[in-house]
Structures are given as structure tokens and as C-alpha cells.
Amino acid sequence: MSLLRFAERADRAASPQALFELLAEEAGRYAFEYIAYGQLGQRSGVDPALPYPAVMLNYPPDWQSYYAARRYQHVDPVVTFAPLTAKPFAWADLLATRQLDPHQRRVFADAEAFGLRDGVSVPLHGPGGRVGMLSFAASKPAPPRPQGVLHMLAVIFDLAFQTGLSKRSRQAAALRLTSRERECLNWTAHGKSSWDIAMILGIGQETVRFHLKNAMRKLQVRSRTVAVVKALRLGLIDPFETG
């Protein structure tokens, strides 16, 4: 696929996950099975289950757990070096040219043991000092990949992701859910019925139904489940607020 075609498809991606899958498909053409998109500093649009600095990734689950348990994000050379350069860099070059301490070298050694034997990372510098990165990883070493192409793929992906995030933020800003509507949606996200929510909030079931119907109308959906999903995606509710 040409870079222009990739940019066109990225711009039309229906969701962040669809965008990520599109990038994974394209990365596979260069023998990269794995990709990881991260943001340093404050992150937006992040799955709370993912350890910093990850935003989206398809690395082996065992490696993700191992990495998080050992808090490797604090010593990972890729995370450390990304803010210091504007150019893509191969992991092998980082190992060969940088003076890494034993802890940093251990990150690469352990990654290799989990099947991440080769990689290229692309720093992504944005407005306001935002720094992100996108890493392409493979299970086997290979001849040098076209870093210029990988750089462009990463930039296109990042731009599409940030544009989509901005669009969702504008959509969220255009919606005004009342505190009761948010409360009812939050408890619905926890699987509570109208009766349950009425007991929790100390209001009548009809009042609960009234607030949920208003929320569905504002979100332009026809079911509570879809209303919860859309509100979560737009950042309008946070189920953890009720925990």
C-alpha cells in the first residue's frame, strides 16, 4: 500500500482500534508483527489497564505483564531516548552506540526472551511539547528496514489518532449531560437496573428512566448499552467515580 493510500484509509478509520489494526496490517508488510503506541507525560484516550506509557499495543500479553510488574517503563532505553531525538532509531543501534547500564540492557535481553528480537522506534514530537513514540517490533532479526517509510507511517498514524481524539473531544464538549444523567449511566455501566439505581440514588424508578432517556436522546442512541459505550468513548462518564 502506498503512503498516500494509507493516509486516506487512516483518515477514514471508524475508531482508534480500526486505525491501530490498519497500522498493524501495514507493519506486517515489513515483517513487524508487533507495534506499540505510547505517549510520554499526560496521556489521552488511554485504556487504564495499560501500563505507562502505552496507549495502544499488541505486544505479547506475557511480556506486557512482565514489563509492568518490573516497572521497566522507568529504565526502558526506548522510553528514555525517545524524547532526546527526532529521528527513528533501531534498537540494535541503541544497544551498540549508547552507554546503557545493566538494567537498561536487561530490558532488551528480557524483551528478546519474550520474542521481541528486533525493533525500530519512532519519536513523535507534537504541539505543546507533547512527546509520543511508536515502536515496530519483530520476532526475528532481519535486514535493515526502510526507516523513512516507518517514520511516515508513524506520523500518519499519530496525526489520525490525535485528530480523531480532538474530534471526539469536540463532540463531547457539544454534549451536556446533567450530573444525574451521568450518575445513571455510570451505574448502568456497572450492570445496575433502574430499580438498583433508584435505591442507590434515593430516587424513583421513573426518575431514573427519565434521566436515562434524556441521556440516550442527547447521545442519539436507542439503548442504554450503546449510550454507555458512546459516553465512555467520548469521555463523558467514568464508571470508577461510583466505585
Side-chain angles (χ1 to χ4, degrees):
M1 185 191 309
S2 69
L3 289 172
L4 178 58
R5 177 61 175 159
F6 177 78
E8 291 173 347
R9 292 183 62 186
D11 188 54
R12 295 199 304 267
S15 67
Q17 186 58 39
L19 177 63
F20 186 81
E21 291 172 359
L22 178 65
L23 179 64
E25 175 186 338
E26 191 63 17
R29 300 178 189 275
Y30 300 95
F32 287 111
E33 303 104 308
Y34 307 111
I35 50 178
Y37 178 54
Q39 291 179 14
L40 308 179
Q42 184 175 2
R43 299 177 298 163
S44 301
V46 183
D47 181 344
L50 295 177
Y52 175 88
V55 174
M56 305 183 79
L57 76 167
N58 63 356
Y59 281 5
D62 288 347
W63 170 242
Q64 294 184 43
S65 300
Y66 187 90
Y67 185 101
R70 282 153 184 78
R71 300 175 64 83
Y72 272 171
Q73 65 271 24
H74 298 297
V75 295
D76 187 344
V78 172
V79 175
T80 302
F81 186 60
L84 306 179
T85 182
K87 297 180 179 180
F89 55 91
W91 296 355
D93 291 341
L94 201 57
L95 271 166
T97 62
R98 305 290 294 187
Q99 292 184 340
L100 305 183
D101 64 36
H103 298 291
Q104 293 174 313
R105 291 186 176 276
R106 170 57 60 183
V107 175
F108 280 130
D110 285 349
E112 183 173 353
F114 279 87
L116 303 174
R117 295 182 174 84
D118 188 24
V120 173
S121 293
V122 181
L124 298 162
H125 297 269
R130 180 180 69 85
V131 180
M133 62 180 178
L134 205 154
S135 293
F136 300 85
S139 61
K140 61 181 68 174
R145 272 87 168 201
Q147 290 191 10
V149 173
L150 297 177
H151 193 181
M152 289 304 301
L153 289 174
V155 169
I156 292 168
F157 172 90
D158 183 55
L159 179 60
F161 184 92
Q162 296 299 327
T163 299
L165 190 65
S166 175
K167 180 179 179 181
R168 293 191 296 277
S169 297
R170 290 196 301 272
Q171 289 174 336
L175 292 169
R176 292 291 183 268
L177 295 180
T178 66
S179 59
R180 276 297 192 217
E181 289 164 358
R182 291 196 302 272
E183 285 178 321
C184 291
L185 284 173
N186 274 333
W187 284 115
T188 299
H190 282 275
K192 302 299 183 182
S193 66
S194 293
W195 185 88
D196 295 326
I197 298 171
M199 294 300 100
I200 292 169
L201 299 180
I203 58 179
Q205 289 189 65
E206 285 304 316
T207 303
V208 172
R209 295 189 185 102
F210 169 79
H211 289 307
L212 287 172
K213 285 180 179 178
N214 277 344
M216 288 187 287
R217 174 180 54 78
K218 291 177 181 179
L219 291 164
Q220 299 182 332
V221 298
R222 295 186 177 183
S223 80
R224 296 182 181 189
T225 300
V226 178
V228 167
V229 171
K230 188 169 183 178
L232 283 170
R233 186 174 175 186
L234 292 174
L236 295 171
I237 63 171
D238 179 4
F240 294 105
E241 290 179 352
T242 62

Short mmCIF file of all heavy atoms in Angstrom, two decimals, residues 114 136 149 176 209 223:
data_model
loop_
_atom_site.label_atom_id
_atom_site.label_comp_id
_atom_site.label_asym_id
_atom_site.label_seq_id
_atom_site.Cartn_x
_atom_site.Cartn_y
_atom_site.Cartn_z
N PHE A 114 11.10 -12.86 25.30
CA PHE A 114 9.66 -12.93 25.09
C PHE A 114 9.29 -12.82 23.60
O PHE A 114 8.11 -12.69 23.27
CB PHE A 114 8.95 -11.84 25.89
CG PHE A 114 8.75 -12.18 27.33
CD1 PHE A 114 9.74 -11.90 28.27
CD2 PHE A 114 7.58 -12.79 27.77
CE1 PHE A 114 9.57 -12.22 29.60
CE2 PHE A 114 7.39 -13.11 29.10
CZ PHE A 114 8.39 -12.83 30.03
N PHE A 136 7.96 -0.42 16.32
CA PHE A 136 7.69 -1.58 15.47
C PHE A 136 8.63 -2.69 15.94
O PHE A 136 9.84 -2.48 16.01
CB PHE A 136 7.96 -1.26 14.00
CG PHE A 136 7.14 -0.13 13.45
CD1 PHE A 136 7.56 1.20 13.59
CD2 PHE A 136 5.97 -0.36 12.76
CE1 PHE A 136 6.82 2.25 13.08
CE2 PHE A 136 5.22 0.67 12.22
CZ PHE A 136 5.64 1.99 12.39
N VAL A 149 10.18 5.11 5.66
CA VAL A 149 8.79 4.68 5.47
C VAL A 149 8.12 4.48 6.83
O VAL A 149 6.98 4.89 7.03
CB VAL A 149 8.73 3.39 4.63
CG1 VAL A 149 7.30 2.85 4.58
CG2 VAL A 149 9.24 3.65 3.22
N ARG A 176 -24.08 18.06 26.74
CA ARG A 176 -24.15 18.48 28.13
C ARG A 176 -25.04 17.52 28.89
O ARG A 176 -26.26 17.64 28.88
CB ARG A 176 -24.70 19.91 28.23
CG ARG A 176 -23.78 20.98 27.68
CD ARG A 176 -22.53 21.15 28.53
NE ARG A 176 -21.67 22.23 28.05
CZ ARG A 176 -20.69 22.07 27.20
NH1 ARG A 176 -20.43 20.86 26.74
NH2 ARG A 176 -19.95 23.10 26.81
N ARG A 209 -35.49 6.30 34.82
CA ARG A 209 -35.80 6.09 33.39
C ARG A 209 -35.82 7.42 32.65
O ARG A 209 -35.37 7.50 31.49
CB ARG A 209 -37.14 5.37 33.26
CG ARG A 209 -37.15 3.96 33.83
CD ARG A 209 -38.44 3.23 33.46
NE ARG A 209 -38.51 1.93 34.10
CZ ARG A 209 -39.25 1.66 35.19
NH1 ARG A 209 -40.00 2.62 35.73
NH2 ARG A 209 -39.26 0.46 35.72
N SER A 223 -30.47 2.57 22.91
CA SER A 223 -30.38 1.60 24.01
C SER A 223 -29.43 2.12 25.07
O SER A 223 -28.53 2.92 24.80
CB SER A 223 -29.91 0.24 23.51
OG SER A 223 -28.51 0.21 23.32
#
